[in-house]
Amino acid sequence: MQEIDVYVALSDGLFLYEPKQHQLKKILAEDIRAATGTNPYVKDAAVNLVYVADPARGNLTDPAAIEFYTGADTAFLAQMYIYFALRKSSKW
């Protein structure tokens, strides 16, 4: 089971990426992009990805392991998104 959820913040709302269905599920109908980062430009970005870790789903209990594995998994996901965006591919 994946311990990382990926939320997609767009101008028309916040969506949860559902990997099994390969679709976005609308969570909020408001634009929250300004709240997804500390830099002023995030409010104008076309898309902001928000990674949320749930250590319980990864069977992690040790705080050091939680920090390491959720950070490593999030970094790996971010690299994959960048790779596929650069390739202009929507297929996994």
Side-chain angles (χ1 to χ4, degrees):
M1 175 174 272
Q2 295 176 309
E3 77 271 9
I4 305 283
D5 286 324
V6 180
Y7 289 84
V8 181
L10 301 168
S11 62
D12 61 336
L14 179 68
F15 300 82
L16 172 62
Y17 175 66
E18 296 180 324
K20 289 182 182 173
Q21 297 85 5
H22 193 55
Q23 65 184 17
L24 296 175
K25 176 183 175 184
K26 192 169 222 171
I27 303 297
L28 291 174
E30 62 185 274
D31 184 359
I32 65 152
R33 291 175 297 163
T36 62
T38 57
N39 292 312
Y41 60 80
V42 297
K43 68 179 177 51
D44 299 316
V47 62
N48 290 330
L49 300 177
V50 180
Y51 303 95
V52 178
D54 182 354
R57 287 193 292 183
N59 296 321
L60 300 173
T61 55
D62 176 54
I66 290 170
E67 184 176 349
F68 175 78
Y69 285 108
T70 57
D73 290 350
T74 301
F76 175 70
L77 286 171
Q79 288 178 337
M80 285 179 47
Y81 286 119
I82 292 168
Y83 172 77
F84 283 104
L86 290 172
R87 287 194 44 163
K88 297 182 181 179
S89 172
S90 63
K91 299 195 181 211
W92 294 90

